[in-house]
Each structure stands twice: as C-alpha cells, then as structure tokens.
C-alpha cells in the first residue's frame, strides 16, 4: 500500500508518549462489528482476552482487529494528527472497504469533510453504501453531500432508497424531513422538483399521503412558489382536516400568502383543545404585527385551556404591546402562579417547540417579572415596577433589568441618572456594548432629546459603521431635528447595505408623504416596503397616508382601516381619524380618535392632529 510504504511510523513514534499514542489509537475503536454475513471469520484479536460464556453453544464473535487493521488505523490517526488528511483519509477508507465497517466509513467521510474535500467525502459515502447497502446513514450522507456540492438533481435515487428502507411507522416523519434535507440547495426550484418526484409513490398511500403532500408544498415554498405550496397544503388539509401538518405549512406562508390563513383557522376551530398549535398561530400573528387578532386567539386559548401556562405569558406580552397594562398584569400574574405551581413552561406543536418558549421555570419567571415591571411602568406605578424588578436574580438578565430601572428613572425626570445607570452596566461581550447604546438611545428618544440622541448614534456609528440598525436609528434622530437630507442619506445607506430592510423604504416614503413632496416616489418606496413585509400594519398605514396625500381618500380609508384593525395603534388611529374627518365622516372620526386617545393620550401625532384640526373630543 503506497500510504504505508512512504511512512516510517516508528521514527515518529519515538517522539510521542505511549499515553498519547494510545489515545489516538483508542479513537479508532468506537464501532460495532458487522454481522457474520458481511465479513469472513477473522483472526481473534491478540489484545483482547476471550469473553467468558455461560452457554457452551453460544456463538463466538471474533474481533475484526487483526494486526494489519491495527496498523492501518493507528497510522491513519497519526497522519491525521500530523495534518496529512489525504493519507489519513485513504488509510481509513481502505480499511473500511476491506472490513465493510460502517464506523470506519463514517470516519473516512468525516475526515474528508473536515479537510473540505467534498468530492472525496462523497466518494467515501458511495463506497460505504456499496459495501453496506442497507445503511441509512450512508444514504443520508450521500444526499447531504450531493446537496452541498450543488448536485441536487442526483439526490432523487438515494432519497427514494432512503424512504424505501424506512420502517412504515417512521415514514411520515422521514417524509417530512426530505424538504429540509434539500433546503440548503443553491437551486431551490430543482430541489422542489426532486421532492415532487420522490414523493409520487407516497401521495396515494393512506398513511403517507398527507405527509407527502405537505413535503411537496414545503419544497415549493422554499423555491419561492407560494401558489403551488398553497395548492398542496389545501389538498392535504382536505384529505385529513385533523392533521397538523397542512396547518403548520400554512403558518409558514401566512405573511406572504394571506389565503393560507383559511387552512389554519379551520384546523384551529376543529381542535380547540390543542393549545400548542393555536399558540404558534398567535405568535405568527404577533410577528406580523396583527396584535388585535393575536390577542383574540390568545384569549381563546386561555379560556379553553386555563391551566396551560405559556399562552398566559404570550397574552400578557401582547396586551402590553396594545397598551392594556391592567389586562397584561392579570394575564402575567396568572402565568406566574401556574409556573410557581409546577406548570410546564414550554409548549410544542407537531414536535416543534415555540421559538420564544422559556427554557426553565427560573427563566420563565424572569420573563414574566420583566413584563410585569413594564405593565406597572405604563401605569406610572414606579414603586410597583421596581418591586417586580427586585424579584429578578438572574445574571443573564442583568443588563435588561438595569435598562428597565433606567427607564423608570427617566420617566421620573431623572434622565441623567438613568443614562449613567446604563453606562455602568457590565459588558460581557461586544453585543452587550451595542445593547447598552440602543438602551440609552431609547431613553433619549422617549425623552425627546433629539440632539443628544443624534450625537450618541454618531459616536456609535464610528464603532459599528456597518450596523444597519444603528444607522436607521440615526436617520430617525436626524429626521426629528429636521435634517431631512442627512436622514435620506442615512436611509439610502441602509437600503444599499440591506436591500431587504423594509423599515428603511417605509421611513423614507412616509417622510416624503409627511412633507408632501415627491409623492409618487413615496408611494413606490412604501410599496417596496410592503413587498418585503406583506400586510405589516405600520407600512400599510404609511401607504394609506400617501394615498391620502395624493387625493385618493377612499383607498386611503380602506388601507388605514385595515392597518388599524390589525394593529390598533394610536398613531394609525390618528391618521384614520384625519382622513375620515376630511371625508366629512366626523362622528366616525371622533369615535376613532377617542379610542386611540384611550391607549396613549400623549401620543405626538394624535395631539398634533387634534390641535391642527381644532377638534375638541
């Protein structure tokens, strides 16, 4: 063997301790030997004593480890340790082929992967599969390597073999995993086509057809074909209305494909006692800023399953966002009581745990206490807010606690003390330093200290010049200082560095609409923002506002009403009220304004609107 002829192992051995060599050697023996049908009887290992047997008729299982194999594995691991991955790979692969041992094939494949030698890793996986045809691990490796090498079209045959090899009860789960196996493909359309072909034999199976249809739908969703994905989700839901899979697929496309919501609503209505699925629906609605709808669904969960803890936390957070501090407090206190009583703090649907589910009771209570402190702060109960913060003894939340305490100080007219409190907070990482800047910026923004805010963010941009979030915050500060040219320059910088940043397009479009300039461009910018974040209420509000400025009152009212129903925010209410007022619908306008004022009477946009129009509510 060439790899052996060129190597003089014992000269190198002299430079190693016996213990180190033994450690290298031991790493090679974490495998189970193949069956007798896979290999011929081998010489009994000279390093292992015969195993004691209680039954004289029990078969003797011989070790595969003969002198040659010992030598090959030892040399392979030493070569790898010395940095010669190529020689190590060849030695291990030769040993694997000779013994048909799966662990050695895996080791050879992993060595090639560590060396970023994709083609060699694939060759090892193919040899592995040829030597051990029934190996599902070899098939998985082959598929993943083909995807990584951008050869997704070649995955069809091993995927079919992988599915055929699976036990029937495990098939639905494996089918569900197929689109995820191909998700990293550079050619998503080709990947979706492969999923569609691979699933054909399973679309007609009574125990696999729903999973197969959902898998094909998920493949097309990944390829940017939501219409096709929706068609497959609908077919799957029609076959089995009690299945969660179609509803979970519909949830994935909800923000970009509103028609998918019908599938989710039908499943939720049919399973009111399934709080996990419904909670995923709530979180999807909340992420889309449809807070009113999210709150309604969360209340439905807590009514149907009052002893399940996570929905109470989610409901409390949503009520807080809606500026309903009393309702938020009630929900959060119920949550805390359930957790303290031993209720589970996580939830899952179809095996997928919610992203924001706390990991432990301690973390769960920390989260609740922080939110309770915010609820008390909204009611200007600063003593109560501090009492909730005093309950938290969690080092991971130290910065957030300090930030909340700083906010309490600022709202009591002690802004300088609040800023100093944030500055003194310890920094464990660069992310902590950035978080401190953003926390201080929030204090200045709430205090309307625009010049100080712009200075802070100018200094921050010197430290983090490519941080799009900080640049965006700086742009908003310059807009408040009426430095509109600087604002536009900064926003366009965000658009250039992050073309998918919907907020930058929306902010510039709204600013142009507010100043009644370049209105056609403003509408184009806001429409671009809506393409990036479909149905986002604040962006829909901006589009309604620019339509009003363009003289399209009916369209403006439609858009603003849609935005206000999804997110009953005070500023959106101020806009809707003004357009209704201009359309002569004064009673309706007053009703909207009163409702908006009940949430935030000090809102700048509402106060300015009522003063400019000389409206006394």
């Amino acid at each position: 063997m060439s790899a052996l002829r060129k190597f003089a192992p014992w000269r190198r051995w002299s430079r190693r301790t016996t213990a180190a060599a033994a450690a290298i050697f031991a790493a090679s023996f974490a495998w189970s030997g193949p069956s007798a049908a896979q290999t011929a009887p081998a010489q009994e290992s000279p390093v292992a004593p015969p195993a004691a047997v209680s039954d004289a008729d029990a078969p003797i299982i011989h070790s595969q480890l003969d002198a040659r194999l010992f030598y090959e594995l030892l040399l392979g691991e030493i070569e790898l340790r010395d940095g010669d991955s190529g020689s190590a790979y060849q030695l291990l692969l030769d040993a694997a082929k000779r013994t048909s041992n799966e662990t050695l094939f895996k080791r050879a494949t992993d060595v090639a992967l560590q060396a970023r030698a994709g083609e060699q890793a694939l060759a090892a996986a193919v040899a592995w599969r040829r030597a051990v045809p029934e190996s599902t691990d070899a098939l998985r490796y082959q598929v993943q390597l083909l995807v990584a090498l951008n050869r997704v079209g070649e995955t069809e045959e091993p995927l079919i073999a992988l599915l055929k090899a699976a036990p029937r009860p495990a098939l639905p789960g494996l089918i569900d995993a197929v689109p995820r196996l191909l998700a990293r493909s550079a050619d998503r359309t080709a990947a979706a086509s492969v999923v569609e072909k691979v699933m054909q034999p399973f679309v007609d199976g009574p125990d696999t057809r729903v999973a197969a249809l959902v898998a094909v739908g998920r493949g097309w969703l990944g390829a940017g074909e939501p219409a096709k994905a929706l068609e497959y989700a609908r077919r799957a839901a029609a076959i089995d209305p009690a299945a969660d899979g179609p509803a979970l697929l519909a949830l994935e496309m909800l923000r970009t494909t509103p028609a998918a919501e019908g599938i989710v609503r039908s499943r939720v209505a049919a399973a009111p006692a399934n709080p996990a699925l419904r909670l995923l629906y709530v979180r999807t609605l909340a992420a889309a800023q449809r807070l009113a709808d999210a709150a309604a669904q969360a209340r439905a969960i807590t009514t149907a399953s009052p002893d399940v803890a996570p929905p109470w936390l989610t409901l409390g957070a949503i009520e807080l966002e809606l500026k309903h501090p009393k309702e938020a407090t009630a929900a959060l206190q119920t949550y805390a009581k359930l957790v303290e009583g031993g209720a589970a703090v996580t939830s899952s649907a179809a095996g997928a745990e919610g992203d924001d589910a706390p990991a432990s009771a301690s973390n769960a209570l920390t989260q609740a206490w922080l939110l309770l402190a915010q609820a008390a702060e909204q009611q200007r109960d600063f003593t109560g807010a501090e009492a909730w913060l005093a309950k938290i003894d969690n080092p991971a939340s130290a910065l957030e606690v300090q930030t909340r305490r700083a906010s309490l100080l600022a709202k009591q007219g002690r802004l300088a003390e609040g800023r100093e409190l944030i500055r003194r907070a310890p920094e464990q990482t660069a992310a902590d330093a950035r978080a401190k800047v953003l926390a201080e910026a929030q204090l200045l923004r709430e205090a309307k200290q625009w010049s100080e805010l712009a200075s802070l963010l100018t200094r921050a941009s010197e430290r983090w010049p490519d941080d799009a979030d900080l640049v965006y915050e700086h742009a908003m500060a310059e807009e408040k200082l009426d430095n509109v040219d600087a604002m536009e320059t900064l926003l366009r910088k965000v658009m250039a560095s992050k073309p998918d940043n919907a907020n930058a397009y929306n902010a510039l479009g709204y600013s142009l609409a507010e100043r009644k300039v370049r209105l056609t461009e403003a509408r184009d910018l806001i429409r671009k923002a809506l393409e990036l974040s479909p149905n986002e209420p604040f962006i829909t509000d901006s589009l309604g506002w620019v339509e009003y400025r363009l003289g399209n009152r009916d369209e403006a009212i439609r858009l603003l009403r849609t935005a206000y129903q999804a997110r009953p925010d005070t500023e959106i209410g101020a806009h809707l009220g003004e357009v209704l007022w201009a359309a002569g619908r004064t009673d309706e306008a007053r009703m909207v304004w009163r409702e908006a004022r009940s949430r935030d009477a000090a809102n700048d946009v509402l106060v300015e609107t009522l003063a400019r129009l000389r409206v006394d509510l």
Side-chain angles (χ1 to χ4, degrees), residues 357-372:
S360 68
S362 174
N363 288 343
L365 288 171
T366 295
Q367 209 170 345
W369 288 330
L370 283 165
L371 292 171
L372 281 162

Side-chain angles (χ1 to χ4, degrees), residues 499-518:
D500 60 345
N501 189 309
N503 290 331
Y505 294 96
N506 179 57
L508 181 54
Y510 179 76
S511 175
L512 294 173
E514 268 291 273
R515 291 180 280 125
K516 302 179 184 178
V517 298
R518 295 153 55 191

Side-chain angles (χ1 to χ4, degrees), residues 80-374:
L80 183 62
R81 184 154 169 167
D82 281 351
D84 189 351
S85 299
S87 294
Y89 164 81
Q90 194 60 57
L91 282 162
L92 291 167
L93 183 58
D94 287 346
K97 288 178 178 178
R98 188 164 54 80
T99 61
S100 297
N101 187 280
E102 289 208 66
T103 300
L104 288 180
F105 276 117
K106 182 178 184 300
R107 181 69 173 144
T109 307
D110 287 341
V111 166
L113 284 172
Q114 290 166 13
R116 299 183 180 277
E119 292 292 346
Q120 285 74 17
L122 178 60
V126 171
W128 178 2
R129 187 180 165 197
R130 189 179 299 118
V132 191
E134 68 275 17
S135 173
T136 55
D137 286 340
L139 285 164
R140 286 192 179 92
Y141 265 79
Q142 184 181 1
V143 170
Q144 291 169 343
L145 286 163
L146 285 168
V147 172
L149 292 168
N150 293 322
R151 291 160 61 178
V152 69
E154 298 175 39
T155 62
E156 184 178 341
E157 184 275 329
L159 278 171
I160 291 173
L162 183 61
L163 291 167
K164 285 182 177 179
R168 198 73 190 183
L171 257 180
L174 187 56
I175 285 170
D176 184 61
V178 167
R180 293 182 173 88
L181 279 173
L182 304 184
R184 294 186 178 181
S185 169
D187 189 342
R188 294 293 187 88
T189 300
S193 296
V194 168
V195 175
E196 195 167 44
K197 291 176 183 176
V198 167
M199 292 302 151
Q200 284 307 308
F202 304 99
V203 168
D204 296 326
D207 57 338
T208 59
R209 55 186 177 180
V210 170
L213 290 168
V214 170
V216 177
R218 187 166 281 116
W220 284 116
L221 182 62
E225 296 276 3
K228 288 185 178 180
L230 179 58
E231 177 189 347
Y232 279 101
R234 282 175 170 161
R235 285 174 60 188
I239 290 169
D240 186 1
D244 286 342
L248 292 170
L249 174 57
L251 279 174
E252 290 182 36
M253 65 177 80
L254 197 59
R255 293 193 70 175
T256 58
T257 312
E261 191 163 5
I263 298 172
V264 182
R265 287 186 175 276
S266 296
R267 178 66 187 123
V268 164
N274 184 347
L277 176 63
R278 198 163 198 159
L279 191 54
L280 285 178
Y281 183 29
V282 169
R283 290 167 176 162
T284 303
L285 292 171
Q289 294 296 315
R290 292 174 53 186
L291 294 187
D293 293 337
Q297 290 294 332
R299 292 187 199 108
I301 303 173
T302 57
T303 299
S305 305
D307 296 329
V308 179
W312 289 105
L313 179 65
T314 301
L315 176 59
I318 294 170
E319 296 285 18
L320 201 58
E321 278 287 299
L322 288 169
K323 301 292 183 8
H324 297 158
K326 292 181 180 178
E327 292 84 347
T329 299
L332 293 165
Q333 287 180 330
T334 300
Y335 174 76
K337 288 178 183 176
L338 287 169
V339 173
E340 288 168 343
V345 296
T346 59
S347 65
S348 63
E353 186 171 299
D355 291 340
D356 58 346
S360 68
S362 174
N363 288 343
L365 288 171
T366 295
Q367 209 170 345
W369 288 330
L370 283 165
L371 292 171
L372 281 162
Q374 290 183 56

